[in-house]
Amino acid sequence: MTLEEDMDLAELIDDARNKGFTTNFAVKKNKLTCDEGRCTFSLPELKLVDSQSVDCGTDPGDEATLYLIETQRGDRGYLVLPYSPEADPDKTEFIDALLKKAG
């Protein structure tokens, strides 16, 4: 599956949702979480399906990557990682580990 190119982040998220990636995942304590922490997944339970980076101009705050992720139990969703000095280091570390796993 490939995300559409030349979209802004909101459009990419809408496109992902239309393709069944509806859960807005978060990272907490080196685990992927959903539903405000009601479910958690570790790296071995996850598959990185696709990713798409967006850069909507000269403002670095507009740059981000959308990662589409599927769990072993069938949950499908997305995780947004912004490019900024304020980016969550736990989320960045988690994505790096997921990318190495997908390697």
Side-chain angles (χ1 to χ4, degrees):
M1 193 201 103
T2 303
L3 294 168
E4 300 299 322
E5 293 187 27
D6 298 327
M7 293 181 164
D8 66 22
L9 185 58
E11 291 169 324
L12 282 176
I13 291 172
D14 285 343
D15 189 49
R17 286 181 176 155
N18 289 335
K19 293 176 179 173
F21 291 83
T22 56
T23 302
N24 182 4
F25 289 123
V27 174
K28 192 176 227 179
K29 297 183 182 178
N30 207 28
K31 302 260 185 187
L32 193 70
T33 66
C34 62
D35 300 326
E36 297 176 0
R38 287 188 274 268
C39 57
T40 61
F41 306 97
S42 60
L43 280 173
E45 300 173 278
L46 304 173
K47 175 184 175 186
L48 179 61
V49 177
D50 199 3
S51 65
Q52 179 70 40
S53 295
V54 293
D55 179 1
C56 297
T58 58
D59 181 0
D62 292 338
E63 298 176 22
T65 301
L66 178 72
Y67 295 92
L68 300 184
I69 301 168
E70 187 171 353
T71 72
Q72 283 182 341
R73 76 174 199 183
D75 300 271
R76 293 167 46 135
Y78 59 91
L79 182 68
V80 176
L81 182 64
Y83 295 126
S84 75
E86 295 84 31
D88 181 345
D90 292 336
K91 190 186 285 189
T92 302
E93 184 178 314
F94 186 85
I95 288 295
D96 287 345
L98 186 59
L99 288 168
K100 286 178 187 172
K101 178 183 177 274

